[in-house]
Structure formats: structure tokens, C-alpha cells
């Protein structure tokens, strides 16, 4: 039952975000202090609980696939985000948000979507871990490179925030898995569902806080996010196929590239760009779009390969 509820991730995202737009007062009170940061840290902790030191040893057995996904994640996606923002002539506050999404690591939900698509979950986990660990350096640097011309970017603050809300919770989760495996095993059945709900709640909080702006600029933001993530899925898959990877591996790379850690983008936007009040909105719309596109692709692939 828990697994089935987890697989309904896109449904929970749509329901919570729609609820936040209709009745924003249900969520807006959470948009204060460090609540959103704590929720994301909890999500990353849950991801860390699923990992062991053996997962990192897998990198040595699949370096080419990991390297390709990593390279596309941190080169094509930031460039696409900048190009789409420029082409659509997005206001600076939306452009920075889209660029920040493009510079973030693979999303925590990518492992779930990979599972639905019957792709390589182990490879997805390794790729997510690699891009997440590298985010502490690459996300600030790439954001500075692509968004620095639009607004001042505090790279050091971005670095510290990424370290606090990503690396520390993941490392803590891995250590708990190592030190108290029985306790971790007892909570593991519900951890994926809690992670999914955590990401959905973060997006709902942002939707509620900026309901009027989202209703006014929704079409523009949906188009930008759909172009970014749709292009990510397509480029990741076509490049993997072009390089001769197995279809299962190509699906995994596609999902990993197309799905960004939008929850991280929301938190970083709130913490690093407080003067740009609408910047976190892009991350929320992005999470909704890549969840929908990824889930539809996963279901298509699953049906296509099912006898």
C-alpha cells in the first residue's frame, strides 16, 4: 500500500498545488522561518537513508554512464535554462529562478520515476548521489556564470546553503544506515512516501504564498518549465542512445537529466535571493512539470516494455 501511494507522486503534487491555489491560507502560514529548509533537509535525509557505502563503489563499475549523465546535467541543463529564459524574455526574477533550477542536481524523485519506468534504479541512485555531492560546488559556480549578468549572486552563501540542506542531511542518512541499520530498516517502508509528500508540501507552500502571481503568469512559467525539462529528457535519451547505451540505461540517463532538484532551487531562491520574491515560484512550477512529464514518460516506457 505504501509503495502504491508513493507511485501516485504526480497526483499528490497536482492535488496539493491546486489546493494551495484555491485555499492558500491552508499552507501560507508555513512560509516563514526555516520550515521549508527543514522539510527539504528531511527529504534529503530520507534519500541518505536509502544509501550505503556500497552504492559509491558501483560508480567504478559504471563510470561511462555516470559521467555522461553528470556532464549533461551540469552543462546542457544550465545552458538550456539560460537560453529559454532569454528566448521567452522572462523577467529577471523568473529568469534567475529558471537558471537556478537548471543548475541544480538531479531530483530526489528521479529514483522513483526510474523505478516506475523499469529502468536502472541502482544507476539512478549513483547518478543522483554524484550530482548532489557535486552541487555544493557546481550549483553556485554555474548560477554565478549564467545568472550573474542579471542580478548579483552571492556564490559563497549559495555554497553554504547547498552544503547545509543537501550534503549534511545525506551524509547523516548514510551514517545512520551504517550505525543503526535495524532502526533504518524499520522506517524505510515509509521513507519514500514521506520524501514525496515533503517535496509536494514545499511546492504547495510556495504556490500558496504566491497564488496570485502564479495565476497571472502561470502559462508563461509552465511553458518555460515544460521546455526546460522536456528538452532535458529528450537530450539525455538521444545522447545516451547515440553513444550506444542499452535502452534501460538510456531511460535512466534521460530521467536523471530531465528531473532537477526543484525543492533545492526553491530553498536556495528563498535564502540567497530574498529581494526577488517571485523567484521561488519557478522552482515550484518546475517540480510540478518535471514530475508530470517524467511520470508520463515512465508509464509509457513501462507499458511499452511490458509483455
Amino acid at each position: 500500500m505504501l509503495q502504491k501511494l508513493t507511485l501516485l507522486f504526480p497526483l499528490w503534487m497536482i492535488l496539493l498545488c491546486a489546493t494551495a491555489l484555491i485555499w492558500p491560507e491552508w499552507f501560507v502560514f508555513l512560509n516563514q522561518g526555516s520550515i521549508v529548509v527543514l522539510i527539504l533537509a528531511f527529504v534529503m535525509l530520507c534519500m541518505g537513508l536509502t544509501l550505503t557505502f556500497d552504492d559509491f563503489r558501483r560508480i567504478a563499475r559504471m563510470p561511462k554512464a555516470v559521467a555522461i549523465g553528470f556532464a549533461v546535467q551540469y552543462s546542457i541543463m544550465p545552458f538550456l535554462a539560460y537560453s529559454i529564459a532569454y528566448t521567452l524574455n522572462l523577467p529577471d526574477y523568473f529568469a534567475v529562478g529558471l537558471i537556478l533550477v537548471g543548475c541544480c542536481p538531479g531530483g530526489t524523485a528521479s529514483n522513483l520515476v526510474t523505478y516506475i519506468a523499469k529502468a536502472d534504479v541502482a544507476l539512478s541512485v549513483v547518478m543522483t548521489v554524484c550530482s548532489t555531492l557535486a552541487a555544493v560546488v557546481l550549483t553556485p559556480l554555474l548560477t554565478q556564470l549564467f545568472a550573474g549578468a542579471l542580478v548579483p549572486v552571492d556564490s559563497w552563501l549559495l555554497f553554504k546553503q547547498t552544503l547545509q540542506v543537501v550534503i549534511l542531511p545525506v551524509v547523516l542518512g548514510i551514517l545512520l544506515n551504517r550505525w543503526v541499520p535495524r532502526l533504518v530498516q524499520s522506517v524505510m517502508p515509509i521513507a519514500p512516501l514521506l520524501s514525496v509528500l515533503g517535496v509536494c508540501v514545499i511546492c504547495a507552500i510556495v504556490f500558496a504564498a504566491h497564488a496570485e502571481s502564479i495565476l497571472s503568469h502561470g502559462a508563461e512559467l509552465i511553458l518555460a518549465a515544460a521546455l526546460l525539462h522536456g528538452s532535458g529528457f529528450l537530450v539525455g535519451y538521444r545522447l545516451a542512445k547515440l553513444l550506444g547505451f542499452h535502452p534501460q540505461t538510456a531511460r535512466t540517463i534521460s530521467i536523471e537529466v530531465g528531473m532537477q532538484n526543484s525543492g533545492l532551487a526553491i530553498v536556495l531562491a528563498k535564502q540567497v535571493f530574498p529581494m526577488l520574491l517571485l523567484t521561488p515560484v519557478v522552482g515550484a512550477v518546475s517540480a510540478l512539470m518535471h514530475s508530470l512529464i517524467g511520470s508520463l514518460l515512465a508509464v509509457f516506457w513501462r507499458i511499452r516494455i511490458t509483455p
Side-chain angles (χ1 to χ4, degrees), residues 77-99:
M77 291 304 284
F79 176 75
L80 282 173
Y82 175 82
S83 302
I84 291 169
Y86 179 81
T87 302
L88 296 180
N89 196 27
L90 295 179
D92 288 350
Y93 43 84
F94 287 153
V96 171
L98 193 68
I99 290 170

Side-chain angles (χ1 to χ4, degrees), residues 44-211:
M44 300 309 295
L45 173 64
C46 288
M47 186 182 115
L49 291 177
T50 67
L51 304 174
T52 66
F53 289 103
D54 288 336
D55 290 318
F56 295 94
R57 298 190 184 101
R58 294 176 187 161
I59 299 173
R61 297 198 293 269
M62 51 184 81
K64 186 179 177 182
V66 174
I68 293 299
F70 186 91
V72 176
Q73 181 88 54
Y74 282 118
S75 60
I76 300 298
M77 291 304 284
F79 176 75
L80 282 173
Y82 175 82
S83 302
I84 291 169
Y86 179 81
T87 302
L88 296 180
N89 196 27
L90 295 179
D92 288 350
Y93 43 84
F94 287 153
V96 171
L98 193 68
I99 290 170
L100 191 53
V101 168
C103 295
C104 277
T108 52
S110 63
N111 309 139
L112 171 64
V113 173
T114 300
Y115 170 78
I116 298 173
K118 288 190 175 181
D120 192 333
V121 177
L123 174 59
S124 175
V125 170
V126 171
M127 291 175 68
T128 301
V129 171
C130 287
S131 66
T132 299
L133 294 177
V136 72
V137 174
L138 292 180
T139 296
L141 289 179
L142 290 169
T143 303
Q144 171 70 53
L145 175 64
F146 286 98
L150 301 174
V151 296
V153 178
D154 189 336
S155 300
W156 176 243
L157 179 59
L158 204 53
F159 170 83
K160 288 193 297 182
Q161 291 295 328
T162 308
L163 179 67
Q164 291 172 8
V165 300
V166 176
I167 304 302
L168 295 182
V170 169
V171 171
L172 177 59
I174 295 171
L175 293 177
L176 287 173
N177 203 352
R178 177 72 175 269
W179 293 336
V180 285
R182 289 186 179 180
L183 176 62
V184 170
Q185 287 303 313
S186 67
V187 302
M188 274 310 299
I190 197 171
L193 177 59
L194 291 177
S195 298
V196 161
L197 292 178
V199 173
C200 293
V201 169
I202 289 175
C203 294
I205 292 171
V206 176
F207 267 59
H210 306 285

